[in-house]
Amino acid sequence: MTLSLWLSLLGASMLISLTPGAGAINTMTNSINSGFTRSIWGILGQQAALLVHVVVVAAGVGLLVSQSPVIFSVVRYAGAAYLVYLGIRLITAKAEAETELEKRGAESAFSMFRRGLWVNLLNPKAIIFFLAFTPQFIRPDEPLLIQYLIFIGTIVVVDVIVMWFFFAAAAKGFRRFTSTARGQRILNLVFGTLFIFVAALLALVH
């Protein structure tokens, strides 16, 4: 991969990561509820899903999904349903003051990783996106393995940086609201509604 092509990939990756979506909402929610440092576990789960998407596209399965309306619809509605589930769970969650949260204990790293994985994995738009995006930066006449490693490595590193140092860091300012049950209810309502809004976009916008 030439330097100019890699710089184009770098710029495109930054723009993509900075675009708000379910991953960004999930990251901010984790940062507010579990803290900036521990929010990395949800981000890593999201990166694992990106790896799966690239492998799926590279293996040609992405083409099958994109050309099969039935398969695409099943994945699309499953993803939307999962986001609605997360939204409703946030909205209906019992609000607890910060001291109560500390007594109950923080969410486990595995739980945050798993949720991050499913948030990105159940997004068929990501498969279609990578299906259109990947060929722009992969040259079939050059060694494929090193190109794919550079491709996914760039995307993952950029996404981790943006998610952690932009979205998770931005959410730190909301942490003061979790010191009261009322503040936490408001934040849960806001972020739960955002999850449902993104789900509606995923299900209805083609």
Side-chain angles (χ1 to χ4, degrees), residues 51-89:
L51 286 171
V52 172
H53 283 310
V54 172
V55 170
V56 163
V57 169
V61 180
L63 187 61
L64 172 64
V65 173
S66 67
Q67 292 183 343
S68 172
V70 174
I71 296 177
F72 182 80
S73 294
V74 168
V75 177
R76 177 159 60 97
Y77 289 122
Y82 183 64
L83 292 181
V84 169
Y85 161 74
L86 292 179
I88 293 175
R89 195 172 71 168

